[in-house]
Amino acid sequence: MQIEEQLRTAISASLPEKLAKLINPEEIVLEQPKDSNFGDFSTNLAMLKYDLVADDFASPRELAALIVKNFQLQQPAITASVAGFGFINFKLSDSIFWQIFADLPQSEAELIPATKHSQKVIVEYSSPNIAKPFNIGHLRSTIIGDAVANLYQAVGYQVFRDNHLGDWGTQFGKQIVAIKKWGDEEAIASSASPVAELVKLYVKFHQEAEQDESLNDEARWWFKKLEAGDQEARRLWQRCIDWSLSEFNKIYQRLGVKFTENDGRGYGESFFEPMLNDLINDLMQNDFVKEGEGGAKLIFYPNDQYPPLMIQKGDGATLYATRDLAADKWRLEQERYRGDQGERPIIINEVGSEQSLYFQQLYQAEEMLGWYQPGERLHLKHGLYRFSDGKMSTRKGQVIWLNEVLDKAQAKAEELCGDRETAKVLSIAALKWNDLKRNSQLAVTFNWDEVLNLQGNSGPYLLYAYARAKSILAKAKEQGIDVSNRDVSNKRDSQALLAANLTMEPLEKAIIQTLTNFAKVVQQSQRQLNPALLCQYLYNLASQFNSFYNKYQILQDSSGEEAILRRDFRLRLVLQVSLVLKTGLNILGIETLEHL
Ligand code: ARG
């Protein structure tokens, strides 16, 4: 039995009868005290539940004292004591810790108990727009969405990774006009950033259209042609897509992000375009879908809970929402997205919080249509990005080019480590960590110094901790001590250690306790769609490991049986830490380095 479960069961059996009836063992919250001198676990249960038995006990402390007394009778190897107003602290004997150490999972596969989930998950993220800059919001979506997809996969879901590219819409009419009037296709194709060229043309279109209204009519005409499948319109539109994707794919490559759907391209808005006419006709069968002024078609919500959602304009044009509805209906119809028992998939959209209202409207509509039920459509929102150094500000009308951000991060990292290849990995880790470590819904102020700080809570800090662990293990191996050898196990060591009656240091106990929590934290992060929980956990583990590393000479000259036992135990602890750090970082989408 896991130690926490064991504690909860024993605590629950120690409660006064009246309380025992009201409290489930699982409800009992155990915490790890900051200072391990107080104990290895603590609970505030007596304070929390005192009101329920206030007639029988003079104070929470008195209640705690009774629990401690009963507990002690059952679990003599665990020392319980009352502290403060009624905290109960538990101190485990070394022998229990050796046992916990012996039972730690020793391979990546065992770290997280695989539960097979029959329901499938589609995580849709990144979703930049063709012929527009891949912006910092898309970067956040890419990083957070990828980590959340990994979390689902880690706990045993089958995950589909989709990219809902903005590759359709009336703006392509304008883009085509601009290319034809002022653009040079070959110059765009050979430019370092075709998207930048397309954006210039698009801006020019708007400037010119202020003087010359007829340009807008021309754009509408070209969009109609595009819809009708006109060859020239399709050719230019396709070029815009190819140019943009070649640029976006470079970003994905640098980030190490891959999509699984539509051969890795993702199902963009245009994929659903052929389905839109039928969809609109179907939708019109519902009495909450009505024609409004000027012939526009809209979805109306009961009691005007939300503003109506337009699905077709008066001139017949479809909208972003129409294509989202088509995508979600189509997803419902795909056999491979169905769960093993035929369940509908869970679909997660990682999109900025500025689209919150829109996604509420969309999900509500899909429930009213009977397509999905609550909880099957999830909006994973991220807050805005702000820049602290005014140089890169969107408000001044400047576009932030993602490749420039990545280059700058890489140059900064290279200053730190002096090596190009290392700097690549380090800079991406820094950027990703900076995004993942905090509640993603809050706005982020982007700050280079914070991102690349080696001391604080940063990507490089984590990579250094991991590389440090690996270098100790490599050094040990050079000396002929290979603790990664599968013939040697924690179990064998711990029996010897137990027999030798060695004491365990508080820091070692704290690390072991942290290690035991890994799977639980991954599951929590997944359930709450919150990679920050896993970051917090890994940062804590890395900090504990760094203190440990600074305090003890792990590979000191070992003479005598006891010293050898202790050295091997510590090396195995380092191995466990490195395993959890690597697995955890990989789940976050962060690549590790063996040396740094
Ligand atoms: N292309 C959109 C944008 O850049 C994001 C798309 C989000 N996904 C969706 N299913 N609507 O704002």
Side-chain angles (χ1 to χ4, degrees):
M1 197 178 356
Q2 283 277 308
I3 183 69
E4 291 193 27
E5 261 179 271
Q6 195 179 324
L7 274 172
R8 282 196 191 92
T9 313
I11 295 169
S12 144
S14 310
L15 298 175
E17 212 172 316
K18 211 183 205 174
L19 271 187
K21 282 200 196 111
L22 297 169
I23 299 171
N24 264 327
E26 303 92 77
E27 265 179 72
I28 301 173
V29 178
L30 290 170
E31 289 188 37
Q32 201 172 335
K34 280 260 166 330
D35 181 347
S36 54
N37 288 319
F38 292 131
D40 303 304
F41 289 98
S42 78
T43 180
N44 62 359
L45 182 77
M47 285 139 76
L48 214 61
K49 301 291 177 179
Y50 173 70
D51 282 352
L52 300 172
V53 287
D55 292 345
D56 308 334
F57 295 88
S59 66
R61 250 191 98 88
E62 213 175 272
L63 170 60
L66 176 87
I67 299 173
V68 163
K69 196 176 120 224
N70 291 341
F71 182 90
Q72 220 57 95
L73 292 173
Q74 297 184 49
Q75 296 282 341
I78 301 173
T79 312
S81 60
V82 183
F85 288 109
F87 279 105
I88 305 174
N89 292 328
F90 301 93
K91 217 168 168 49
L92 313 188
S93 68
D94 284 9
S95 65
I96 294 181
F97 269 105
W98 292 125
Q99 193 52 51
I100 301 175
F101 171 68
D103 292 340
L104 286 176
Q106 286 169 59
S107 69
E108 199 182 322
E110 293 164 73
L111 274 182
I112 304 163
T115 327
K116 172 113 173 66
H117 293 268
S118 94
Q119 204 172 13
K120 306 282 163 71
V121 182
I122 300 171
V123 186
E124 183 215 274
Y125 53 105
S126 195
S127 311
N129 302 315
I130 296 301
K132 299 241 182 85
F134 189 114
N135 65 37
I136 213 96
H138 298 124
L139 177 68
R140 290 206 82 185
S141 173
T142 309
I143 292 174
I144 297 167
D146 198 50
V148 166
N150 293 342
L151 280 166
Y152 270 87
Q153 204 160 304
V155 304
Y157 282 95
Q158 186 179 349
V159 178
F160 300 92
R161 295 156 190 265
D162 207 353
N163 188 355
H164 193 74
L165 291 168
D167 58 2
W168 196 255
T170 49
Q171 71 273 22
F172 284 99
K174 300 176 185 171
Q175 194 75 59
I176 291 171
V177 171
I179 297 172
K180 290 190 89 62
K181 283 202 185 313
W182 312 293
D184 171 346
E185 287 182 47
E186 288 336 297
I188 300 172
S190 58
S191 134
S193 170
V195 174
E197 299 304 314
L198 292 174
V199 170
K200 272 189 220 151
L201 286 169
Y202 194 67
V203 170
K204 185 168 171 70
F205 177 92
H206 285 276
Q207 286 164 349
E208 299 283 330
E210 271 178 30
Q211 320 298 328
D212 180 0
E213 237 311 294
S214 74
L215 282 173
N216 283 314
D217 296 327
E218 208 174 320
R220 270 189 286 274
W221 183 68
W222 272 104
F223 184 65
K224 281 249 168 298
K225 284 169 70 127
L226 180 62
E227 278 185 305
D230 173 83
Q231 239 186 1
E232 175 65 358
R234 290 270 163 167
R235 184 186 69 80
L236 283 169
W237 167 75
Q238 188 61 50
R239 287 207 88 172
C240 288
I241 293 179
D242 295 342
W243 289 326
S244 305
L245 282 185
S246 72
E247 220 169 303
F248 297 167
N249 283 334
K250 279 186 209 141
I251 296 173
Y252 295 136
Q253 206 169 5
R254 290 178 80 164
L255 293 173
V257 166
K258 286 201 178 97
F259 299 94
T260 58
E261 299 313 273
N262 200 12
D263 294 323
R265 177 196 188 278
Y267 292 107
E269 293 184 39
S270 69
F271 179 81
F272 304 100
E273 199 265 329
M275 308 170 197
L276 300 182
N277 267 335
D278 286 350
L279 173 75
I280 292 167
N281 289 336
D282 281 358
L283 293 177
M284 289 305 287
Q285 305 303 308
N286 297 282
D287 50 13
F288 51 85
V289 187
K290 294 184 198 117
E291 215 165 287
E293 260 170 66
K297 293 172 182 142
L298 305 110
I299 296 178
F300 289 84
Y301 297 91
N303 308 318
D304 296 326
Q305 186 188 4
Y306 301 116
L309 182 66
M310 195 187 286
I311 55 165
Q312 191 172 38
K313 292 189 195 165
D315 65 4
T318 59
L319 298 101
Y320 179 56
T322 329
R323 295 184 281 277
D324 260 326
L325 286 165
D328 291 329
K329 182 163 189 278
W330 177 82
R331 285 164 171 166
L332 211 50
E333 291 156 0
Q334 303 314 298
E335 197 48 47
R336 67 206 169 96
Y337 295 154
R338 286 268 160 183
D340 300 340
Q341 261 93 57
E343 304 97 319
R344 292 174 292 271
I346 298 171
I347 307 173
I348 300 172
N349 304 95
E350 202 323 329
V351 189
S353 54
E354 68 279 5
Q355 294 191 32
S356 285
L357 173 63
Y358 167 70
F359 279 103
Q360 283 171 359
Q361 292 171 298
L362 181 70
Y363 298 170
Q364 185 64 39
E366 292 179 358
E367 280 175 36
M368 283 155 54
L369 289 161
W371 294 354
Y372 292 92
Q373 283 176 13
E376 292 171 347
R377 299 290 288 104
L378 300 169
H379 181 196
L380 173 57
K381 357 175 178 199
H382 60 255
L384 284 179
Y385 234 122
R386 298 205 196 90
F387 282 84
S388 58
D389 72 6
K391 267 179 253 150
M392 292 209 276
S393 118
T394 27
R395 252 185 284 149
K396 290 180 191 153
Q398 281 169 288
V399 172
I400 298 162
W401 294 98
L402 242 293
N403 266 320
E404 279 174 24
V405 174
L406 300 185
D407 288 345
K408 188 165 172 187
Q410 193 172 316
K412 279 238 173 198
E414 206 168 322
E415 278 169 29
L416 288 175
C417 68
D419 173 67
R420 234 186 108 76
E421 288 310 303
T422 309
K424 272 188 195 169
V425 179
L426 209 55
S427 59
I428 297 298
L431 279 171
K432 288 190 175 182
W433 187 268
N434 187 50
D435 243 357
L436 296 169
K437 73 172 180 185
R438 57 189 102 228
N439 175 346
S440 62
Q441 303 210 16
L442 301 178
V444 180
T445 302
F446 192 91
N447 178 332
W448 285 113
D449 294 332
E450 188 186 354
V451 171
L452 292 175
N453 181 7
L454 294 189
Q455 300 307 322
N457 185 351
S458 68
Y461 179 84
L462 270 287
L463 289 199
Y464 273 103
Y466 174 76
R468 192 169 281 160
K470 291 303 277 191
S471 84
I472 302 170
L473 295 168
K475 239 188 242 150
K477 204 169 172 178
E478 276 169 27
Q479 296 177 16
I481 320 157
D482 184 3
V483 288
S484 64
N485 184 341
R486 295 291 295 161
D487 296 341
V488 194
S489 71
N490 288 5
K491 279 200 176 45
R492 193 219 60 173
D493 275 4
S494 71
Q495 268 154 21
L497 290 159
L498 209 63
N501 210 8
L502 278 188
T503 51
M504 202 186 273
E505 303 292 335
L507 206 45
E508 293 163 343
K509 290 181 183 171
I511 292 176
I512 290 175
Q513 246 183 303
T514 305
L515 288 170
T516 58
N517 287 332
F518 181 63
K520 204 169 65 187
V521 172
V522 171
Q523 284 155 354
Q524 256 168 15
S525 301
Q526 176 263 320
R527 263 187 251 122
Q528 298 180 24
L529 276 68
N530 186 4
L533 294 179
L534 179 54
C535 288
Q536 219 163 40
Y537 168 90
L538 292 173
Y539 176 57
N540 180 38
L541 178 62
S543 314
Q544 286 178 328
F545 169 71
N546 280 340
S547 312
F548 172 72
Y549 173 87
N550 289 329
K551 187 160 180 184
Y552 302 109
Q553 292 289 144
I554 299 169
L555 268 180
Q556 79 210 86
D557 260 351
S558 318
S559 38
E561 203 182 333
E562 214 177 277
I564 292 177
L565 272 175
R566 185 169 287 284
R567 178 201 67 195
D568 287 359
F569 157 64
R570 287 189 172 151
L571 284 171
R572 299 190 60 75
L573 199 54
V574 173
L575 181 67
Q576 296 284 162
V577 169
S578 70
L579 179 69
V580 168
L581 284 179
K582 186 180 170 66
T583 309
L585 286 166
N586 289 349
I587 290 176
L588 293 169
I590 296 175
E591 201 187 316
T592 51
L593 290 162
E594 301 293 297
H595 333 265
L596 252 172

